[in-house]
Amino acid sequence: MGTAAEPRPAELPLPGGREGASVRLHPLLTGRMIGPEAWFLRQDGRLAWRWALGLGVPRRDWLEVPVPAFLLEHPGAGAVLIDTGLHPSVAVDPRKNLGRIQSTLFKDIEMDPGQAATAQLRRKGIEPAQVKAVVMTHLHPDHASAISEFPGATFVVSKAEWAAATSQGALHGYVKRQFDYAFDYRLLDFEGPDVESFATFGRSLDLFGDGSVRCVYTPGHTPGHLSVVLRLRRREALVAADAVYLRRNLDEMRLSHRTADDHLSERSLREIRRYAQDTPDALIIPGHDWNAWEELEAVYD
Ligand SMILES: [Zn+2]
């Protein structure tokens, strides 16, 4: 495939697990963008694809959405990230990192350099080099944009996602230059022997072996998408990422305009919905929902 990266199978658990551990969760807003509502929430009918691309839709009707990343503080493993958000250069020149196609698609990105995950970590007294592990929900450009900023980290990504991202490329939304580094990539095999069910999720992998960070398989948005269930001190949190763009996707059981696989997408949405019903005190964080984002606290113990 001609890439600098030579991923290896993940050997779980990753080091640092502590019995009974919980994590602190810091949601990080790395920028915002706008998109047509019909992109996030599928519409029916002949014109649906036009609306999804925003054709003939006035800008005032587009949705403003957050581009998040998440910092976890784990008692044994230290600082861990979920996704990387936007690269600091996007604040100045989106095209350089996102490429021509994506920077056209992600119109009107708003970011200031201080919103980059690295800058936010430093303000919290954490040097980016201290981040030992980064869990990638998937490799779309608004999630993978800042991978280059964490050369010393172990990147955990599903095997199916890696295969898709390295074989499909730009037409499916991946920007290879964002992840094409000789970094320590570890592939999670959701078909492998370590997989177990967790709560309503058919396939999960316990990252540190202590139940504090569980990757749950939620493919459909992309071929190898995963979400993350966290054990906080008093409750659980589900970082759904793009398995759920907006709360409305979940509430109305509506897919987004584009998925890699509708059937899988629907199944993942159903597993998440049942999780939310069975775990009513869990914090459910959708991937790109501004209202939900605004309700989040700066940090969760
Ligand atoms: Zn995505």
Side-chain angles (χ1 to χ4, degrees):
M1 66 197 177
T3 158
E6 287 176 30
R8 286 180 289 167
E11 281 161 32
L12 296 185
L14 298 184
R18 295 270 173 88
E19 212 188 307
S22 60
V23 294
R24 295 182 85 206
L25 165 67
H26 305 247
L28 308 176
L29 178 66
T30 71
R32 47 174 103 184
M33 54 190 184
I34 63 169
E37 184 178 278
W39 177 263
F40 301 100
L41 279 174
R42 184 177 294 190
Q43 312 279 341
D44 292 323
R46 205 167 44 86
L47 294 175
W49 69 272
R50 295 181 55 93
W51 298 331
L53 297 177
L55 300 173
V57 182
R59 281 301 166 96
R60 63 171 183 276
D61 292 338
W62 290 34
L63 294 183
E64 185 171 39
V65 302
V67 183
F70 300 87
L71 165 65
L72 312 179
E73 292 179 275
H74 183 284
V80 175
L81 279 185
I82 300 175
D83 291 340
T84 67
L86 296 171
H87 188 273
S89 70
V90 173
V92 191
D93 177 10
R95 200 162 158 158
K96 196 168 149 210
N97 175 274
L98 297 170
R100 188 173 52 83
I101 300 176
Q102 295 297 327
S103 53
T104 315
L105 216 71
F106 288 81
K107 275 193 273 279
D108 301 311
I109 284 191
E110 265 183 49
M111 178 196 193
D112 70 57
Q115 288 183 302
T118 42
Q120 296 198 53
L121 290 178
R122 287 197 179 99
R123 286 202 295 276
K124 293 176 191 294
I126 298 169
E127 276 305 307
Q130 290 172 251
V131 175
K132 294 285 181 273
V134 182
V135 180
M136 297 302 303
T137 62
H138 63 310
L139 292 172
H140 272 166
D142 48 325
H143 300 256
S145 177
I147 282 178
S148 63
E149 302 303 280
F150 302 94
T154 293
F155 286 86
V156 177
V157 60
S158 88
K159 192 173 157 187
E161 185 65 14
W162 185 264
T166 50
S167 64
Q168 295 184 334
L171 274 180
H172 291 85
Y174 296 108
V175 178
K176 187 173 156 186
R177 78 183 84 173
Q178 291 179 339
F179 51 85
D180 194 16
Y181 294 97
F183 288 179
D184 183 29
Y185 286 104
R186 297 300 181 124
L187 306 186
L188 295 177
D189 184 359
F190 283 97
E191 314 273 326
D194 297 339
V195 168
E196 50 191 12
S197 65
F198 173 73
T200 60
F201 297 99
R203 290 166 193 259
S204 83
L205 287 164
D206 184 356
L207 208 57
F208 298 107
D210 59 10
S212 62
V213 181
R214 291 179 198 270
C215 298
V216 295
Y217 202 39
T218 51
H221 171 70
T222 57
H225 189 280
L226 61 84
S227 304
V228 189
V229 179
L230 303 170
R231 189 201 289 141
L232 310 179
R233 198 140 47 131
R234 289 190 192 82
R235 62 199 290 207
E236 286 178 4
L238 170 69
V239 176
D242 291 3
V244 181
Y245 272 149
L246 310 174
R247 269 184 193 148
R248 284 183 63 190
N249 293 101
L250 205 55
D251 294 346
E252 300 168 22
M253 286 303 283
R254 264 165 82 184
L255 299 184
S256 56
H257 169 66
R258 189 167 159 179
T259 75
D261 184 313
D262 276 1
H263 177 72
L264 289 178
S265 219
E266 222 171 272
R267 194 171 76 186
S268 296
L269 206 54
R270 257 200 314 270
E271 289 190 348
I272 292 172
R273 191 175 157 100
R274 265 192 283 132
Y275 172 77
Q277 287 165 346
D278 291 2
T279 326
D281 61 340
L283 173 69
I284 312 286
I285 307 177
H288 294 290
D289 186 315
W290 192 256
N291 294 327
W293 187 264
E294 284 198 313
E295 287 171 21
L296 292 180
E297 290 163 27
V299 56
Y300 292 88
D301 278 313

